Amino acid sequence: MAVDVAVLLILGIVIAFSCRGGGLKPGHAVVCVIFGLYLAGTDNVGPFVKDVTASVAGLLSGLRL
């Protein structure tokens, strides 16, 4: 658990600096994906991330374009 928190903090800092630097490059996108996977795997935030993702997917699938 302590390793997950440390990884989340490091990846969050890298993302913050990447966003401040401007432009999302492919390497930055990979860091964002890894951050999301770690975040979804945590016990506290994981269920919330999955619920929000399911809600957004349900909302988007219900839209008629």
Side-chain angles (χ1 to χ4, degrees), residues 12-25 28 32:
I13 291 169
V14 169
I15 291 170
F17 281 121
S18 297
C19 290
R20 287 186 70 202
L24 187 67
K25 297 180 176 103
H28 300 147
C32 290

Side-chain angles (χ1 to χ4, degrees), residues 7-46:
V7 170
L8 284 173
L9 286 174
I10 291 170
L11 290 173
I13 291 169
V14 169
I15 291 170
F17 281 121
S18 297
C19 290
R20 287 186 70 202
L24 187 67
K25 297 180 176 103
H28 300 147
V30 169
V31 171
C32 290
V33 168
I34 293 171
F35 179 75
L37 291 173
Y38 268 100
L39 190 61
T42 58
D43 293 331
N44 296 330
V45 184

